[in-house]
Each structure stands twice: as C-alpha cells, then as structure tokens.
Amino acid sequence: MPEPATPHLWVKIDLGNERQIGPGKIALLRLVGERHSIAAAARDMKMSYRRAWLLIDELNTIFAQPVLTTHVGGKSFGGAELTPFGVRLIERFDVITRRTEEAVRDELAALATEIQG
Amino acid sequence: MPEPATPHLWVKIDLGNERQIGPGKIALLRLVGERHSIAAAARDMKMSYRRAWLLIDELNTIFAQPVLTTHVGGKSFGGAELTPFGVRLIERFDVITRRTEEAVRDELAALATEIQG
C-alpha cells in the first residue's frame, strides 16, 4: 500500500485587477531562465510557444519592471535571459511557498489523519 | 484613482490522489451550514444544485467522516446540517488561510510596490 502523501499547499498570489501569479507562471519563468529560451521552456512544460509567450508577457505587464529580456536571432526564436528583477521574483515566490507551508505544518499533518484511507 | 489593493493569497490544499480542498469548496460548505440547505447555498453561489451536490459529495469522499448530513423531505430537497467534523474543517481552513497570510505579509507588501501602477 502506498504511503499516504503529506498534504501540501498550492499558493497563488492575487495582485488585484485579475492579476495572479502562481506556481505555473513561476515554474515557466524558472525554466526559461535555465534554458535561456522561451521555446525550450515551453517544450519542457508541454505548452505551445504562444501560450508560454503570453504567460511571460502577462508577468511583464503585471510588474513595473520586466522579468525577462529577449534578443532577436539565435536559436529557438532568439535567446532569453531573466532580469535581476525576474530572478528576485522567483526567489520571493519560493520564500512565500516555504514560509506558508511551514506556518501550517501542524494543520496539514492533522488534516492528513482525517483523510479517507 | 483607486487605491491599489494589497495582494492576498489564494490557498489550496493538495491532499494527494487528485484530492483538493480550496476556498471554493469551503465557501460552499460554510453557506450550506448557514442556509441548512444545499439548494439554497447553490443558488447563493450561482451554481447548479447538481454541481453543489457533487462538490459536497467530493468532500464527504475525501475525508473519513462526513462533513454534512442531509435529511429527506422538507423544503429545498431536504435540510442539510454540518457535522461537527464539517464545522472543524471550516475552522481549520480559516486558520490555514489566516496563518499563511500572516506568515508572508512582508513579502506581499514588497510585491505590492513592484506592481505596475
């Protein structure tokens, strides 16, 4: 019988005016930073280039500073690099994820005992 | 110009095996408790009776104890009452919401300053 998984949180941040950031956009941004390419990150996440581009564009629109810079040419629709602000946004989201999870660890453990076997 | 809203969290709990509880199901459960009726709660939340019933049934299936008891007859498809476990589940979710928000208040405030005006 598989071990019951510990419950964990899925945290989104509602920034008002229908602007949200959550684990999906942050995972994409992180991957773009690692792959230096929106196209490669899109493939890794099994989403279309267009969808990935729209999500990144949404992040760039939400914040006063861009999260990413792209340069024309090169492989895969041009390279992409996180800006220092983009790097900081990912770090901030990771802090939020870690701290929220720690803040309710006992409640999540209690919930785990109440789940149907 | 409207005041910029403070960012806030939207927290779901992933209980494994595709079982989730989040603000939607908890809001419905709370409303059923207040209205003593799934049908009335469904109307208040502008969802079909069927959808409300399925969400409640999902909660009853996730946990070892039922969140709600219904009795046949009476108005609105029979009355419904939260069980003590259902009441506790709502309280626990409220604690989780409050504690997670408090745990990252400074990070949310920092994000607020970075949003596009």
Side-chain angles (χ1 to χ4, degrees), chain B residues 82-96:
Chain B
L82 298 189
T83 61
F85 175 72
V87 173
R88 222 163 62 232
L89 182 65
I90 293 174
E91 288 169 357
R92 203 188 284 297
F93 194 83
D94 289 345
V95 167
I96 288 172

Side-chain angles (χ1 to χ4, degrees), chain A residues 5-17 19-21 60-65 85 88-89 92-93 95-97 99-108 110-117, chain B residues 5-17 19-21 60-65 85 88-89 92-93 95-97 99-108 110-117:
Chain A
T6 312
H8 69 92
L9 296 182
W10 181 264
V11 173
K12 283 192 171 184
I13 303 166
D14 180 345
L15 298 160
N17 296 322
R19 296 174 297 188
Q20 287 198 338
I21 55 174
N60 275 337
T61 312
I62 288 175
F63 295 102
Q65 298 177 65
F85 174 73
R88 221 164 62 232
L89 182 65
R92 204 188 283 295
F93 194 82
V95 167
I96 288 172
T97 302
R99 277 212 226 149
T100 49
E101 193 104 19
E102 282 168 8
V104 297
R105 188 166 289 162
D106 55 340
E107 296 292 330
L108 295 181
L111 265 183
T113 68
E114 297 171 330
I115 297 171
Q116 187 114 235
Chain B
T6 312
H8 68 91
L9 296 182
W10 181 264
V11 172
K12 283 192 171 185
I13 303 165
D14 181 344
L15 297 160
N17 295 322
R19 296 174 298 189
Q20 286 199 338
I21 55 177
N60 276 336
T61 312
I62 288 175
F63 295 103
Q65 298 176 66
F85 175 72
R88 222 163 62 232
L89 182 65
R92 203 188 284 297
F93 194 83
V95 167
I96 288 172
T97 302
R99 276 212 227 148
T100 50
E101 193 105 18
E102 282 168 8
V104 297
R105 188 166 289 162
D106 55 340
E107 296 291 329
L108 295 181
L111 265 182
T113 67
E114 297 171 331
I115 297 171
Q116 187 115 236

